[in-house]
Coordinates of all heavy atoms in Angstrom, one line a residue:
R1 N 0.8 -11.5 6.2 CA 2.0 -11.2 6.9 C 3.3 -11.4 6.0 O 3.5 -12.6 5.7 CB 2.0 -11.9 8.2 CG 3.1 -11.5 9.2 CD 3.0 -12.1 10.6 NE 4.0 -11.7 11.5 CZ 5.1 -12.3 11.8 NH1 5.2 -13.5 11.3 NH2 6.0 -11.7 12.6
G2 N 4.0 -10.4 5.8 CA 5.2 -10.5 5.0 C 6.1 -9.3 5.1 O 5.8 -8.4 5.8
D3 N 7.2 -9.6 4.3 CA 8.3 -8.6 4.4 C 8.2 -7.7 3.2 O 8.1 -8.2 2.0 CB 9.6 -9.4 4.4 CG 10.9 -8.6 4.5 OD1 10.8 -7.3 4.3 OD2 12.0 -9.1 4.9
M4 N 8.3 -6.4 3.4 CA 8.2 -5.4 2.2 C 9.5 -5.6 1.3 O 9.4 -5.0 0.1 CB 7.9 -4.0 2.7 CG 9.1 -3.4 3.4 SD 8.9 -1.7 3.7 CE 7.4 -1.6 4.8
F5 N 10.4 -6.1 1.7 CA 11.6 -6.3 0.9 C 11.7 -7.7 0.2 O 12.6 -7.9 -0.6 CB 13.0 -6.2 1.7 CG 13.1 -4.9 2.5 CD1 12.8 -4.8 3.9 CD2 13.2 -3.7 1.8 CE1 13.0 -3.7 4.6 CE2 13.2 -2.5 2.4 CZ 13.1 -2.5 3.9
Q6 N 10.7 -8.6 0.5 CA 10.6 -9.9 -0.2 C 9.1 -10.2 -0.4 O 8.6 -11.2 0.2 CB 11.3 -11.0 0.6 CG 12.7 -10.9 0.7 CD 13.4 -11.9 1.5 OE1 12.8 -12.4 2.6 NE2 14.5 -12.4 1.0
M7 N 8.4 -9.3 -1.2 CA 7.0 -9.6 -1.5 C 6.7 -10.6 -2.3 O 7.3 -10.9 -3.4 CB 6.4 -8.2 -1.9 CG 6.4 -7.1 -0.9 SD 5.5 -5.5 -1.3 CE 6.8 -4.8 -2.4
P8 N 5.7 -11.4 -1.9 CA 5.4 -12.7 -2.7 C 4.5 -12.5 -3.9 O 3.4 -13.2 -4.2 CB 4.7 -13.7 -1.8 CG 3.9 -12.6 -0.9 CD 4.8 -11.4 -0.8
F9 N 4.8 -11.5 -4.8 CA 3.8 -11.1 -5.9 C 4.8 -10.9 -7.0 O 5.9 -10.4 -7.0 CB 3.1 -9.9 -5.6 CG 2.4 -9.8 -4.3 CD1 2.8 -9.0 -3.2 CD2 1.3 -10.7 -4.0 CE1 2.1 -9.0 -1.9 CE2 0.7 -10.7 -2.7 CZ 1.1 -9.9 -1.7
K10 N 4.2 -11.0 -8.3 CA 4.9 -10.7 -9.5 C 3.9 -10.1 -10.5 O 2.9 -10.8 -11.0 CB 5.4 -12.0 -10.0 CG 6.2 -11.8 -11.3 CD 7.7 -11.3 -11.0 CE 8.5 -11.3 -12.2 NZ 9.8 -10.6 -12.0
A11 N 4.0 -8.9 -10.7 CA 3.2 -8.1 -11.7 C 1.7 -8.4 -11.6 O 1.0 -8.6 -12.5 CB 3.7 -8.5 -13.1
E12 N 1.2 -8.1 -10.3 CA -0.2 -8.5 -10.0 C -1.1 -7.3 -9.8 O -2.2 -7.5 -9.8 CB -0.2 -9.3 -8.8 CG 0.3 -10.7 -8.9 CD 0.1 -11.6 -7.6 OE1 -0.9 -11.4 -7.0 OE2 1.1 -12.4 -7.3
F13 N -0.5 -6.0 -9.6 CA -1.2 -5.0 -9.1 C -1.4 -3.7 -10.1 O -0.2 -3.4 -10.6 CB -0.8 -4.5 -7.7 CG -0.9 -5.6 -6.7 CD1 0.2 -6.5 -6.4 CD2 -2.1 -5.9 -6.1 CE1 0.0 -7.4 -5.4 CE2 -2.2 -6.9 -5.1 CZ -1.2 -7.7 -4.8
D14 N -2.4 -3.1 -10.2 CA -2.5 -1.9 -11.1 C -2.1 -0.7 -10.2 O -1.7 0.3 -10.6 CB -4.1 -1.7 -11.4 CG -4.6 -2.8 -12.1 OD1 -4.3 -3.1 -13.2 OD2 -5.5 -3.5 -11.4
L15 N -2.2 -0.9 -8.8 CA -1.9 0.2 -7.9 C -1.3 -0.4 -6.6 O -1.7 -1.5 -6.1 CB -3.2 0.9 -7.4 CG -3.1 2.0 -6.4 CD1 -2.4 3.2 -6.9 CD2 -4.6 2.4 -6.0
A16 N -0.3 0.3 -6.1 CA 0.3 0.0 -4.8 C 0.5 1.3 -4.0 O 0.7 2.4 -4.6 CB 1.7 -0.7 -4.9
I17 N 0.3 1.3 -2.8 CA 0.4 2.5 -1.9 C 1.3 2.1 -0.8 O 1.3 1.0 -0.3 CB -0.9 3.1 -1.5 CG1 -1.7 2.1 -0.5 CG2 -1.8 3.4 -2.7 CD1 -2.8 2.8 0.2
T18 N 1.8 3.1 -0.1 CA 2.3 3.0 1.3 C 2.1 4.3 2.0 O 2.4 5.3 1.4 CB 3.8 2.5 1.3 OG1 4.1 2.1 2.7 CG2 4.8 3.6 1.0
L19 N 1.6 4.2 3.2 CA 1.2 5.4 3.9 C 1.9 5.3 5.3 O 1.5 4.4 6.0 CB -0.2 5.6 4.0 CG -1.0 5.8 2.8 CD1 -2.5 5.7 2.9 CD2 -0.6 7.1 2.1
S20 N 2.7 6.3 5.7 CA 3.4 6.2 6.9 C 4.3 5.0 7.2 O 4.5 4.6 8.3 CB 2.3 6.4 8.1 OG 1.5 7.5 7.9
S21 N 4.8 4.4 6.1 CA 5.7 3.2 6.3 C 7.2 3.5 5.9 O 7.9 2.7 6.1 CB 5.1 2.0 5.6 OG 3.8 1.7 6.0
L22 N 7.3 4.6 5.2 CA 8.7 4.8 4.6 C 9.7 5.0 5.7 O 10.9 4.7 5.5 CB 8.6 6.2 3.8 CG 7.6 6.0 2.5 CD1 7.7 7.4 1.8 CD2 8.1 4.9 1.6
G23 N 9.4 5.3 7.0 CA 10.3 5.4 8.0 C 10.9 4.2 8.5 O 12.0 4.0 9.2
H24 N 10.2 3.0 8.1 CA 10.8 1.7 8.4 C 11.7 1.2 7.4 O 12.3 0.1 7.5 CB 9.6 0.7 8.4 CG 8.5 1.0 9.4 ND1 8.9 1.1 10.8 CD2 7.2 1.2 9.3 CE1 7.7 1.3 11.4 NE2 6.6 1.4 10.5
I25 N 12.1 2.1 6.5 CA 13.1 1.6 5.5 C 14.5 2.5 5.7 O 14.6 3.7 5.7 CB 12.6 2.0 4.0 CG1 11.2 1.3 3.8 CG2 13.7 1.6 3.0 CD1 10.6 1.7 2.5
L26 N 15.5 1.5 6.0 CA 16.8 2.2 6.2 C 17.4 2.6 4.8 O 17.0 2.1 3.8 CB 17.7 1.2 6.8 CG 17.4 0.8 8.2 CD1 18.3 -0.4 8.6 CD2 17.6 1.9 9.2
K27 N 18.3 3.6 4.9 CA 18.9 4.1 3.7 C 19.5 3.0 2.8 O 19.3 2.9 1.6 CB 20.0 5.1 4.0 CG 20.6 5.8 2.9 CD 21.7 6.9 3.3 CE 22.3 7.6 2.1 NZ 23.2 8.6 2.5
K28 N 20.1 2.0 3.3 CA 20.8 0.9 2.7 C 19.8 0.1 2.0 O 20.1 -0.7 1.1 CB 21.6 0.1 3.5 CG 20.9 -0.7 4.6 CD 21.9 -1.5 5.5 CE 21.1 -2.3 6.6 NZ 20.2 -3.3 6.0
D29 N 18.4 0.1 2.3 CA 17.5 -0.8 1.8 C 16.6 -0.1 0.9 O 15.6 -0.7 0.3 CB 16.6 -1.3 3.0 CG 17.3 -2.3 3.9 OD1 18.3 -3.0 3.3 OD2 17.1 -2.3 5.1
R30 N 16.7 1.2 0.5 CA 15.8 1.9 -0.3 C 15.7 1.3 -1.7 O 14.6 1.1 -2.3 CB 16.1 3.4 -0.4 CG 15.9 4.1 1.0 CD 16.3 5.6 0.9 NE 16.5 6.1 2.2 CZ 17.2 7.2 2.4 NH1 17.7 7.9 1.4 NH2 17.4 7.7 3.7
V31 N 16.8 1.0 -2.3 CA 16.8 0.6 -3.6 C 16.2 -0.9 -3.7 O 15.4 -1.1 -4.6 CB 18.4 0.6 -4.3 CG1 18.2 -0.2 -5.6 CG2 18.8 2.0 -4.4
K32 N 16.5 -1.7 -2.7 CA 15.8 -3.0 -2.6 C 14.4 -2.8 -2.6 O 13.6 -3.6 -3.3 CB 16.4 -3.8 -1.4 CG 15.9 -5.1 -1.2 CD 16.2 -5.7 0.1 CE 17.7 -5.7 0.4 NZ 17.9 -6.4 1.7
F33 N 13.9 -1.9 -1.8 CA 12.4 -1.7 -1.7 C 11.9 -1.2 -3.0 O 10.7 -1.7 -3.5 CB 12.1 -0.7 -0.6 CG 10.7 -0.3 -0.5 CD1 9.6 -1.2 -0.1 CD2 10.3 0.9 -1.0 CE1 8.4 -0.9 -0.1 CE2 8.9 1.3 -0.9 CZ 8.0 0.4 -0.4
I34 N 12.5 -0.3 -3.7 CA 11.9 0.3 -4.9 C 11.9 -0.9 -6.0 O 10.9 -0.9 -6.7 CB 12.9 1.5 -5.4 CG1 12.7 2.7 -4.4 CG2 12.4 1.9 -6.8 CD1 13.6 3.7 -4.6
R35 N 12.9 -1.7 -6.0 CA 12.8 -2.8 -7.0 C 11.8 -3.8 -6.7 O 11.1 -4.3 -7.6 CB 14.2 -3.6 -6.9 CG 15.4 -2.7 -7.6 CD 16.7 -3.4 -7.4 NE 17.8 -2.8 -8.0 CZ 19.1 -3.0 -7.7 NH1 19.4 -3.9 -6.9 NH2 20.0 -2.3 -8.4
Q36 N 11.5 -4.1 -5.4 CA 10.4 -4.8 -5.1 C 9.0 -4.2 -5.6 O 8.1 -4.9 -6.1 CB 10.3 -5.0 -3.6 CG 11.2 -6.2 -3.1 CD 10.8 -7.5 -3.5 OE1 9.8 -8.0 -2.9 NE2 11.5 -8.2 -4.3
V37 N 8.8 -2.9 -5.3 CA 7.6 -2.2 -5.8 C 7.4 -2.4 -7.4 O 6.3 -2.7 -7.9 CB 7.7 -0.8 -5.4 CG1 6.5 0.1 -6.1 CG2 7.6 -0.6 -3.9
Y38 N 8.6 -2.2 -8.1 CA 8.6 -2.4 -9.6 C 8.1 -3.7 -9.9 O 7.2 -3.9 -10.9 CB 10.0 -2.1 -10.1 CG 10.0 -1.9 -11.5 CD1 10.0 -0.7 -12.1 CD2 10.1 -3.0 -12.5 CE1 10.1 -0.5 -13.5 CE2 10.1 -2.9 -13.8 CZ 10.2 -1.6 -14.3 OH 10.2 -1.5 -15.7
E39 N 8.6 -4.8 -9.2 CA 8.2 -6.2 -9.5 C 6.7 -6.5 -9.3 O 6.1 -7.3 -10.0 CB 9.1 -7.2 -8.8 CG 10.6 -7.2 -9.2 CD 10.7 -7.5 -10.6 OE1 10.0 -8.6 -11.0 OE2 11.4 -6.9 -11.4
V40 N 6.1 -5.9 -8.2 CA 4.8 -6.3 -7.9 C 3.7 -5.6 -8.8 O 2.5 -6.1 -8.9 CB 4.5 -6.0 -6.4 CG1 5.4 -6.7 -5.6 CG2 4.3 -4.6 -6.1
L41 N 4.2 -4.5 -9.5 CA 3.2 -3.7 -10.3 C 3.1 -4.3 -11.7 O 4.2 -4.8 -12.2 CB 3.7 -2.3 -10.5 CG 3.5 -1.3 -9.3 CD1 4.1 0.0 -9.6 CD2 2.0 -1.2 -8.9
K42 N 1.9 -4.3 -12.3 CA 1.8 -4.6 -13.7 C 2.4 -3.5 -14.5 O 2.5 -2.3 -14.1 CB 0.3 -4.7 -14.1 CG -0.5 -5.7 -13.3 CD -2.0 -5.7 -13.7 CE -2.8 -6.7 -13.0 NZ -4.3 -6.6 -13.3
P43 N 2.8 -3.7 -15.8 CA 3.2 -2.5 -16.6 C 2.1 -1.5 -16.6 O 0.9 -1.8 -16.8 CB 3.5 -3.3 -17.9 CG 3.9 -4.7 -17.6 CD 2.9 -4.9 -16.4
G44 N 2.4 -0.3 -16.4 CA 1.5 0.8 -16.3 C 0.9 1.0 -14.9 O 0.1 1.9 -14.8
G45 N 1.3 0.2 -14.0 CA 0.8 0.2 -12.6 C 1.5 1.4 -11.9 O 2.5 1.8 -12.2

C-alpha cells in the first residue's frame, strides 16, 4: 500500500506497468510521477 508519487524503491525493476491508472494523475503531478518511474527502474528498464 503506497503512493505512486513517493514509491519506496530505487532502481529495482526491469519492468514497470500501469493500466487504467493514468486518470488518477493530475496535470500538475505528471512530471513528479514520471520522475518516480525513472527512479524505480533499473538502467535499461
Side-chain angles (χ1 to χ4, degrees):
R1 185 169 183 257
D3 186 342
M4 66 171 64
F5 303 112
Q6 294 180 319
M7 292 187 280
F9 313 111
K10 184 73 173 180
E12 293 184 34
F13 298 99
D14 310 286
L15 173 66
I17 67 167
T18 194
L19 299 169
S20 303
S21 299
L22 296 177
H24 297 302
I25 304 172
L26 293 172
K27 184 176 182 179
K28 67 182 181 66
D29 295 323
R30 289 177 203 165
V31 171
K32 183 191 303 184
F33 173 71
I34 294 169
R35 287 174 177 167
Q36 280 288 291
V37 172
Y38 193 95
E39 291 298 316
V40 305
L41 289 173
K42 298 175 183 178

